[in-house]
Amino acid sequence: MAAADIDALDRDDPLAGLRDRFVLPEGLIYLDGNSLGPAPREVAGDLAGVVTQEWSNDLIASWNKAHWFELPQTLGTRLAPLIGAAGDEVLVCDGVSVNLYKCLHAALALRPERHVVVAEQAGFPTDLYILDGLGAQRTDLSLRLEGRDGDRLEDLIDEQVAVVLVNHVDYKTAALRDMAALTARAHEAGAIVVWDLCHSAGVIPVELDACEADFAVGCTYKYLNGGPGSPGFIYVARRHHEHLRQPLTGWWGHAEPFAFDSDYRPAPGIKAMLTGTQPILSMRALVAALAACDRVDMAQVRAKSMALTDLFITLVDEHCDGLGLELASPRDAALRGSHVSFAHEGGFAVMQALIACGVVGDFRAPDLLRFGLAPLYIRYRDVADAVEALRDILVSQSWRDPAFSGRSGVT
Ligand SMILES: *Cc1c(COP(=O)(O)O)cnc(C)c1O
């Protein structure tokens, strides 16, 4: 594809102006927003104000005056339209792993007579680890895993299944599940579905209510750009609120936290999913970060995401043929999230070499190069430049330099 064609894509991009809402270091092509989104421009100033005014000056009064106490609900209401939910069905709190634990318990409690959980062996490991911990307490449970007990998740679902835990977008391959169809399939068998939206929230128009989803969790530090360790979210369909029971029954989820009763009584509605005091600075950063998605048309975001990932694959086909890359993502954009992955025998070192030339993606064991293409700030030009750098590294074999084989803790 000619350079002029790439330039035309950027020129005609209706989302091009959004890039200015983010701080992106000069000269860096950042293709890792699916792991940690960049800082939205407003966050630093807003957060400084929170520290100097709300914390330093107003101190404890800020729980009321600055509405700190309601942040899980106000942020949930802000986030809700991005995932196709009503404002009172979403809470922002804790982290994904903890929220998953709460949701799985709550989902299981809705099907007390059933004892099987279906999940994916290739799912994000924390999902499986949380299931492992759950299984240690609930010895009546048994696990059926796609990839171990059957090839297709759908085939593992029958009348014995209480809960299906499933990723909307696979963190390695970017394979996208059909939320409406899979939810319907689970409901047909009487099972409850818990969706993990970590790799779709903020980048794919999710329609939880329209799909009649039951529960969902997701994170805000990936495509929602909330910052390192920003809190996760929980969705619970309104029809389940009345029977909501979760295991981490802390005081923030109490009907009257400031009554300081010695007996636990759950708050009505989704608030029952709260546990304890929340990371207010992170939540305030998220308020500013979500403003970067204000008035953004998710259909346009999805269209650009598909175009960016298509372009990446087309350019790799054109320029990296015979260089040892194998596409690990679906070729059909309709079946793919917003990242693309390629297997390469030297995957880890190739990614290190790319990072050294200013193209930041990440590596996922055993051999995957992963490139996140976030439509709010990535340009078509960035994709072309990244593929050119990748090609140069593979042709010159510069990745074989021993300097690129040393691993740090986070890959
Ligand atoms: C990123 C991610 C998580 C992260 O969980 P934390 O508790 O926030 O560390 C969980 N599940 C999936 C699918 C993810 O991609």
Side-chain angles (χ1 to χ4, degrees), residues 13-15 18 168-169 174-178 199-200 202-206 223 296-310 330-340 373-376 380:
D13 172 10
L15 302 179
L18 298 176
H168 193 204
V169 172
L176 170 67
R177 301 265 185 190
D178 182 335
H199 286 275
S200 53
V203 78
I204 290 180
V206 181
Y223 291 110
V296 173
D297 178 350
M298 284 305 290
Q300 283 184 347
V301 170
R302 176 63 177 151
K304 183 177 174 189
S305 156
M306 290 163 78
L308 287 168
T309 49
D310 270 341
R331 213 165 249 288
D332 179 355
L335 305 177
R336 191 172 66 222
S338 205
H339 64 272
V340 284
L373 305 173
L376 299 189
Y380 294 93

Side-chain angles (χ1 to χ4, degrees), residues 95-98 124 126-127 167 169 171 196 198-199 219 221-222:
V96 182
S97 305
V98 173
F124 193 85
T126 206
D127 301 22
N167 283 273
V169 172
Y171 79 107
D196 186 328
C198 282
H199 286 275
C219 58
Y221 51 79
K222 292 175 179 164

